[in-house]
Amino acid sequence: MAYQAGGQRTASRPAPDSPEARAYLQDYAGYLEAVPFPSLVLDHRWDVVLANTAFETLFRDMSPHPTALPGDNFLRFVLFHPDAATLLGDHESSWCLPMLAGFAAALERHGHDHVLQAIRREIAQDPLMEAAYRQGLPHWIRLVGEDAVEHDGAIRPLLHPDPRRGVTECRIVADTPRTLQDLGYTRLTMILREPRPAPAPRRTRTARRTANHLTVVPTPTA
């Protein structure tokens, strides 16, 4: 993660310019650490600015990756990490498509941002993600409505690494204080819910990469 609770920076992303903002983030990291649920602070690129121990614990079993670790850039993790579907249940419709919708909105607002442009190129180079972005996303939004792309309040499936939780869900709560908003940041917390009574089998980490068709992309007709 970019900051730990003690305020030590482990990533090379730019820090806020003012000492007051840096001090606020250091103190906010301590506050975040007291939250029992996975919680993180993101910038407009989905770079992780802050994340607590509960977040790290949830994603502790993810294998190394050069660009898509969950504690570095959460969008890249959801879209590109080969292990993402082993933890994020209903990976395509509950996680990828809402994140792609948010990415499209960010790209519209910050079209010249070099990181967002790089992510767009990565999407274009991944046939499944490009199909989801160009075809699946508009089709999905027409089916579920515009409200489904919002993070706040969404209930999303998880395949929790703790066997006591197993197949469960989390409610995404977007709770961003004004100071974070002024810095261009957003805070998301995953409120873990009770496990489902009938756990389903875990998806393998290769499930998304071996699929030859996205379920939300209309099947071509002859």
Side-chain angles (χ1 to χ4, degrees), residues 43-47 73 75-76 79-80 99-100 102-124 133:
D43 66 12
H44 70 280
R45 301 163 167 174
W46 284 270
D47 282 341
N73 184 286
L75 174 66
R76 278 192 167 111
L79 299 185
F80 303 123
M99 295 293 283
L100 283 171
F103 170 74
L107 196 61
E108 187 173 334
R109 292 192 301 268
H110 309 282
H112 298 294
D113 187 288
H114 69 282
V115 173
L116 294 179
Q117 290 290 344
I119 293 173
R120 181 64 187 95
R121 290 192 294 271
E122 291 176 56
I123 291 172
Y133 188 73

Side-chain angles (χ1 to χ4, degrees), residues 198-211:
R202 284 179 177 265
R203 297 172 65 182
T204 62
R205 70 178 54 186
T206 57
R208 180 170 67 88
R209 294 299 176 183
T210 57

Side-chain angles (χ1 to χ4, degrees), residues 26-101:
Q26 181 170 342
D27 291 338
Y28 198 83
Y31 167 74
L32 209 64
E33 192 62 20
V35 176
F37 299 110
S39 192
L40 70 164
V41 174
L42 305 162
D43 66 12
H44 70 280
R45 301 163 167 174
W46 284 270
D47 282 341
V48 177
V49 178
L50 299 172
N52 64 3
T53 296
F55 178 88
E56 292 185 331
T57 299
L58 179 62
F59 295 94
R60 66 191 176 196
D61 295 332
M62 298 298 101
S63 60
H65 193 283
T67 62
L69 288 175
D72 289 341
N73 184 286
F74 196 66
L75 174 66
R76 278 192 167 111
F77 167 73
V78 172
L79 299 185
F80 303 123
H81 198 294
D83 294 351
T86 68
L87 188 124
L88 306 177
D90 194 14
H91 180 238
E92 178 187 315
S93 61
S94 292
W95 294 92
C96 289
L97 288 167
M99 295 293 283
L100 283 171

Side-chain angles (χ1 to χ4, degrees), residues 10-30:
T10 59
S12 58
R13 303 181 195 106
D17 292 333
S18 73
E20 292 82 4
R22 291 194 295 271
Y24 176 86
L25 285 181
Q26 181 170 342
D27 291 338
Y28 198 83

